[in-house]
Amino acid sequence: MSAFHALRLKALTLAQRLTLLFVAIASAVLLGLGAVVARSVQQHFEDLDMDVLSGKMELITQALQNVATPQDLTGLAHQLARSLVGHHGLEVLLLDADQSVLFATAHASFDPQQVVAQARQALPGAVLWPLEAHTYRVLAARLATAVKDAQGQRAEVFVAAGIDIGHHQAFMQAFLHTLWWFVAGGAVLTAVLSGWAVRRGLAPLLEMRTQAQGITAQQLGHRLHLQHLPVEMAELAQSLNNMLARLEDAFTRLSAFSSDIAHELRTPVSNLMTQTQVALSRARSADDYRNVLESNLEEFERMARMMADMLLLAKADHGLVLPRLETLDMAQEVRTVLDYFEMLAEEKNLSLQLTGDATLMADRLMLRRALSNLISNAVRHAVAGSVIRVELQNLADQLEISVTNQGETIAPEHLERVFDRFFRVDPARQRGHEVAQEGQQEMDSATPQRAGHAVYPAARAEGTGLGLAITRSIVQAHGGRISAQSDHGVTTFSIRQPDL
């Protein structure tokens, strides 16, 4: 049954839920207030009845103190009859020790045994007794007289004073009946007013919904208006605007990434097709076919590296790249990487220099790959005869690794994107495809060795365009950050790694 009610509740709109909530709260408040008032009125009636009953019981007690002989009981009856004149609904019954009636008002037909039992219990308050068609609030007591028996003990009588509470009950019944109608009317009025107030209060939310419906993949730059919104909804709208900004940025990057990857894959695929078509255009020797296959193998290897790098970046984006930390001698690690690039640097007349010393908790293979990418980038863009410097510097609670080379200055607008996937500062991104076209033209007239190895040399030298993006992912996986600076022909990539 609870599941059914939960399903019914889910089918309600927010305005309906709020209206029902307001109605429930208003009804509960009215019912609670009515219960408090009813209890207060009831207690007031009880207090009035007790005042009357206590006063009459005190009068009877004083009158019994003057009863010294049995004959005085007759005068007592007359005195009580006179004192009760004008008290409508008040009944008094006076019994002796043998439960004989000494005095009784016209309608005091209480059960003597019940009177005696109630008086012997000596309860502090009154009790309700139904009598015929009426209900009485009765106060019973056992009182002593001045008459003494043969043993010298004062004789006792039993007194019951009751007051008809029918008019009180009738009033309370009418009051509760009126209360129920008032609560019902208040609930209906609350529903009407709450519905109007909720619709008016939710009007900005409906306006936000209308604005949000106009946002599409082609209009991610649209933002929700914050003017004239309540504070709570303004905060919600601002959060949605921030989300839209993140989505727009991610969508832009995804679109650029899709375009870049299509371009990067198109070039090697085009080269493979071109070389294969040229090779099949006429009969060739086994060495010619071997050269073509070797060239194709290089393209396949490049594509395989690109896919492996993209898989690594995808894992890094989802936090699946977990470093295996160990204590590393950073100077030794940098020397190992520099030794690898030493021959290539000599070919370009470059000098490799390391300064500083430090230790760091990091993943050895991942860190070497990040350093290799930075040094490879520096070697590729450094001018001949310059020095590539790798500096290790211990700061307060982190290690800074900087790689500096001399070459062309990177424009400030490009510095913000150098770590993006497939981004290259050099706009000549079609060179590989152009070389492939040249290779096709030369292949028919050139020797097999030139045809097999001249195709796409520039593209192979440039790599996959993912090196710096992978470096950033590795640094971020270690909890660090990487930045780039370029000014007056000097470019520096800096890694700041916290001391784990």
Side-chain angles (χ1 to χ4, degrees):
M1 195 66 180
S2 58
F4 175 75
H5 288 300
L7 184 62
R8 292 286 299 274
L9 184 60
K10 290 182 179 180
L12 298 178
T13 64
L14 179 60
Q16 292 172 337
R17 294 185 186 186
L18 291 176
T19 300
L20 288 178
L21 182 61
F22 291 155
V23 171
I25 293 175
S27 300
V29 171
L30 291 176
L31 286 174
L33 181 60
V36 171
V37 173
R39 180 55 189 165
S40 299
V41 173
Q42 182 70 27
Q43 186 63 44
H44 175 68
F45 288 155
E46 291 180 6
D47 292 341
L48 291 179
D49 293 341
M50 284 300 299
D51 287 342
V52 174
L53 295 176
S54 299
K56 295 306 176 185
M57 193 63 69
E58 182 67 25
L59 176 63
I60 295 173
T61 301
Q62 294 178 0
L64 288 174
Q65 299 302 318
N66 298 324
V67 178
T69 63
Q71 291 76 16
D72 292 337
L73 291 175
T74 303
L76 175 63
H78 293 294
Q79 180 181 356
L80 292 177
R82 288 193 300 272
S83 64
L84 297 177
V85 173
H87 292 276
H88 301 289
L90 179 63
E91 307 295 340
V92 177
L93 177 64
L94 186 62
L95 304 175
D96 60 11
D98 298 331
Q99 300 184 6
S100 298
V101 179
L102 299 177
F103 173 79
T105 55
H107 302 287
S109 56
F110 303 130
D111 183 5
Q113 294 182 354
Q114 189 176 8
V115 172
V116 173
Q118 185 70 30
R120 291 183 184 278
Q121 292 179 7
L123 296 177
V127 295
L128 298 180
W129 285 358
L131 185 62
E132 297 177 354
H134 303 276
T135 300
Y136 288 86
R137 180 170 285 111
V138 180
L139 185 63
R142 183 171 58 178
L143 304 177
T145 65
V147 180
K148 295 184 178 180
D149 56 14
Q151 288 79 20
Q153 300 293 331
R154 300 179 67 178
E156 294 181 338
V157 296
F158 299 95
V159 181
I163 188 170
D164 187 1
I165 61 173
H167 59 290
H168 294 170
Q169 292 176 328
F171 175 84
M172 291 303 300
Q173 184 176 4
F175 173 78
L176 293 176
H177 185 267
T178 303
L179 175 64
W180 280 111
W181 278 107
F182 182 77
V183 171
V188 173
L189 182 60
T190 302
V192 174
L193 296 179
S194 298
W196 174 82
V198 167
R199 285 192 298 272
R200 186 175 180 84
L202 294 180
L205 186 60
L206 298 178
E207 178 63 24
M208 289 173 56
R209 183 191 66 178
T210 303
Q211 296 180 34
Q213 288 176 342
I215 300 176
T216 62
Q218 292 74 28
Q219 295 179 339
L220 288 177
H222 182 71
R223 296 295 181 266
L224 301 178
H225 302 301
L226 304 182
Q227 295 82 359
H228 310 298
L229 286 179
V231 176
E232 298 81 1
M233 292 188 181
E235 294 176 353
L236 174 61
Q238 184 60 53
S239 300
L240 292 175
N241 285 339
N242 295 338
M243 180 189 69
L244 288 173
R246 293 191 297 269
L247 288 176
E248 182 183 15
D249 180 69
F251 189 82
T252 302
R253 290 177 178 272
L254 181 60
S255 299
F257 175 72
S258 301
S259 176
D260 290 340
I261 194 173
H263 172 81
E264 295 295 332
L265 291 177
R266 181 184 63 182
T267 301
V269 170
S270 176
N271 291 334
L272 290 171
M273 292 178 59
T274 301
Q275 293 180 105
T276 304
Q277 290 171 354
V278 171
L280 295 176
S281 63
R282 59 184 175 86
R284 301 180 186 277
S285 65
D287 290 339
D288 292 342
Y289 287 122
R290 179 178 291 107
N291 290 332
V292 171
L293 291 177
E294 289 176 354
S295 179
N296 289 350
L297 179 60
E298 293 182 2
E299 298 296 340
F300 284 124
E301 289 176 349
R302 179 173 180 271
M303 294 173 65
R305 290 197 308 272
M306 184 187 302
M307 293 177 184
D309 292 343
M310 289 172 57
L311 179 60
L312 174 63
L313 291 173
K315 290 182 178 180
D317 290 342
H318 292 82
L320 300 179
V321 177
L322 302 178
R324 297 181 180 179
L325 302 181
E326 57 180 308
T327 303
L328 303 178
D329 183 347
M330 290 305 303
Q332 181 60 38
E333 296 299 325
V334 173
R335 291 192 190 97
T336 301
V337 177
L338 292 178
D339 290 342
Y340 179 81
F341 288 94
E342 183 176 0
M343 183 176 297
L344 181 60
E346 290 179 355
E347 292 179 359
K348 299 188 65 174
N349 192 24
L350 299 174
S351 299
L352 303 178
Q353 185 179 40
L354 169 65
T355 58
D357 192 5
T359 59
L360 181 67
M361 290 288 293
D363 186 298
R364 184 187 303 273
L365 296 180
M366 294 176 65
L367 185 61
R368 283 186 179 181
R369 183 170 188 180
L371 292 173
S372 298
N373 290 338
L374 293 180
I375 296 174
S376 173
N377 183 77
V379 171
R380 185 181 304 122
H381 296 94
V383 296
S386 62
V387 179
I388 296 177
R389 294 183 176 84
V390 181
E391 182 179 0
L392 304 177
Q393 184 178 4
N394 285 305
L395 302 180
D397 56 350
Q398 57 187 352
L399 169 66
E400 183 180 69
I401 308 171
S402 59
V403 179
T404 304
N405 69 279
Q406 297 179 6
E408 294 185 5
T409 302
I410 303 176
E413 62 271 16
H414 292 158
L415 282 175
E416 299 178 357
R417 298 190 57 197
V418 292
F419 297 104
D420 291 350
R421 303 170 189 181
F422 299 119
F423 178 78
R424 293 187 179 91
V425 177
D426 184 7
R429 304 180 60 182
Q430 302 293 334
R431 176 164 178 76
H433 183 67
E434 295 169 357
V435 173
Q437 299 297 329
E438 294 174 0
Q440 181 180 2
Q441 297 174 0
E442 296 177 359
M443 193 170 186
D444 292 329
S445 58
T447 62
Q449 290 78 7
R450 176 177 175 79
H453 294 284
V455 178
Y456 199 37
R460 288 198 295 269
E462 291 176 359
T464 62
L466 297 173
L468 293 180
I470 292 175
T471 300
R472 181 176 61 178
S473 297
I474 292 175
V475 173
Q476 290 177 347
H478 284 78
R481 58 187 180 91
I482 185 171
S483 59
Q485 295 180 346
S486 185
D487 190 19
H488 297 93
V490 178
T491 300
T492 301
F493 287 87
S494 302
I495 297 176
R496 290 199 172 186
Q497 189 69 43
D499 188 2
L500 301 178

